Amino acid sequence: MSEQRKKLLAIILVVIAALVPLVVSDDYIVRVLIMSGIFLILTLSLNLVTGYTGQFCLGWAAFYGIGAYTSALLVMKLGFSFWLSMPLAGLMSALFGILLGIPTMRLKDIYLAITTLGFGEIIRLIMLNWTDLTRGSMGLPGIPSPTIFSYEFSSNIPYYYLILALVLITIFSVRRIIDSRVGRALIAIREDDLAAKTMGIDITGYKVLAFAVGAFFAGIAGAFYAHYTSFIDPHTFSFSESITILAMVVLGGMGSIWGSILGAVVLTVAPEALRGLSDYRMIIFGLIMMIVMLVRPQGIMGKGRDKGSSRSRTRRQGGGKVGTAPN
């Protein structure tokens, strides 16, 4: 698809999304779409790290939770406005992204995945056991709704337009990053980090930057979620939530913004659409996932990696011949 057609399609989708609350009167549908928007931001943020930079992360829900708790506590304990606590929540998540990124960026593949998994569990256990601050498993109830002047968000419609605005900002930001010099560096690192380093790219610096930016948007999504649901607890930000976000990235296609959008919407809407089938819906859902992965292992909208980089990596690891041990 040409760039002009993509832009036209994007404009049409934005117009349709903006009109949804005006033509849909069912609050349940609007709520599902709001949750789709939250997961869309999370998927885009993880795709920046996993899809574009090649860093496999199994603890992404930790940044989501850090943002949620930061914003909720700033508003409830210190009286901050939501409009100030939300960006601060993103910055707090970005700080933790940097703190995780600096000591782990020399790790690759399964080692990085296990480390990020451990990080996610550490954050969840802190949320669970620091009862004086987080109330532990009882969670934080009564999180205030956002207000604009004297208008309070009391229905799904203002939340819908807010998440739509946040989604558009996230898409625009990620697109600008990917189309920039930074984005080209991230993709070069994903394809062949040794070649990228040889060309003078600061591998560690760019990886940490990707983690920080991705974590920032995950924190923004967490802040929105906390104030939308008005209640959070540590179980919401568990390992299973990280796997759900990763599944959205993989299903839609790693390294694809359109894939992130599709993966987030499909994996949020499909379970709800199949809810009427009761006992069989998760079986059907699992079969759909398996079929997609068998037919399109790179994801629905994903692109295969550059074959040249794969061959160079094979030569580097195997001494130039397949099956030959490195010297």
Side-chain angles (χ1 to χ4, degrees):
M1 187 184 295
S2 66
E3 284 299 318
Q4 286 187 338
R5 288 185 177 180
K6 286 182 179 180
K7 289 180 180 178
L8 179 61
L9 177 60
I11 293 171
I12 292 172
L13 290 176
V14 170
V15 172
I16 292 173
L19 295 175
V20 165
L22 303 179
V23 297
V24 175
S25 58
D26 191 338
D27 253 9
Y28 172 72
I29 294 176
V30 177
R31 181 178 178 83
V32 170
L33 293 176
I34 290 172
M35 294 305 300
S36 297
I38 294 172
F39 279 107
L40 205 161
I41 295 174
L42 291 168
T43 306
L44 284 166
S45 63
L46 179 57
N47 210 350
L48 184 65
V49 173
T50 299
Y52 287 102
T53 315
Q55 302 301 294
F56 199 67
C57 181
L58 288 178
W60 204 246
F63 301 114
Y64 182 33
I66 290 168
Y69 272 92
T70 299
S71 184
L73 291 170
L74 285 175
V75 172
M76 297 174 71
K77 302 282 188 180
L78 301 178
F80 278 49
S81 164
F82 165 77
W83 306 106
L84 179 59
S85 70
M86 182 171 62
L88 289 176
L91 291 174
M92 180 63 75
S93 294
L95 175 61
F96 274 89
I98 294 171
L99 293 176
L100 173 66
I102 291 174
T104 62
M105 284 305 101
R106 294 185 182 276
L107 302 176
K108 296 181 182 179
D109 303 327
I110 190 64
Y111 305 104
L112 178 61
I114 295 299
T115 303
T116 55
L117 170 61
F119 170 77
E121 284 302 294
I122 289 170
I123 295 298
R124 187 185 68 83
L125 290 173
I126 291 174
M127 295 174 185
L128 188 62
N129 294 301
W130 196 352
T131 54
D132 291 340
L133 183 66
T134 66
R135 286 172 45 92
S137 59
M138 293 186 293
L140 289 176
I143 301 172
S145 302
T147 57
I148 299 179
F149 300 111
S150 59
Y151 176 74
E152 182 178 354
F153 285 28
S154 57
S155 68
N156 280 326
I157 292 178
Y159 281 108
Y160 176 85
Y161 283 114
L162 176 57
I163 195 62
L164 179 60
L166 292 175
V167 164
L168 293 177
I169 291 170
T170 305
I171 292 173
F172 175 79
S173 302
V174 172
R175 169 53 65 191
R176 293 289 293 175
I177 291 171
I178 297 307
D179 289 342
S180 70
R181 179 178 173 183
V182 173
R184 291 191 292 271
L186 297 179
I187 294 171
I189 292 169
R190 179 195 68 188
E191 295 297 334
D192 195 321
D193 55 356
L194 181 58
K197 186 175 182 179
T198 303
M199 295 177 66
I201 295 175
D202 180 7
I203 295 176
T204 301
Y206 278 112
K207 286 181 178 179
V208 171
L209 177 63
F211 254 93
V213 174
F216 173 83
F217 285 109
I220 294 292
F224 177 92
Y225 174 82
H227 293 271
Y228 175 59
T229 60
S230 75
F231 173 81
I232 54 174
D233 70 350
H235 305 295
T236 305
F237 312 107
S238 63
F239 173 64
S240 61
E241 196 78 354
S242 295
I243 292 300
T244 299
I245 301 167
L246 181 61
M248 292 175 177
V249 174
V250 174
L251 178 69
M254 292 194 292
S256 169
I257 291 178
W258 285 100
S260 294
I261 297 170
L262 183 62
V265 172
V266 167
L267 290 190
T268 306
V269 173
E272 299 300 324
L274 296 172
R275 188 174 291 276
L277 297 175
S278 185
D279 297 336
Y280 303 102
R281 70 187 184 98
M282 295 311 296
I283 296 175
I284 296 171
F285 183 65
L287 287 173
I288 293 172
M289 287 283 292
M290 289 176 61
I291 292 169
V292 171
M293 288 297 97
L294 288 172
V295 176
R296 293 278 297 179
Q298 71 271 38
I300 298 173
M301 304 287 289
K303 298 178 181 179
R305 284 194 173 190
D306 181 65
K307 295 181 180 179
S309 66
S310 298
R311 286 195 296 269
S312 67
R313 189 177 291 107
T314 301
R315 287 196 297 270
R316 187 173 76 244
Q317 294 174 348
K321 295 181 181 180
V322 176
T324 303
N327 295 327

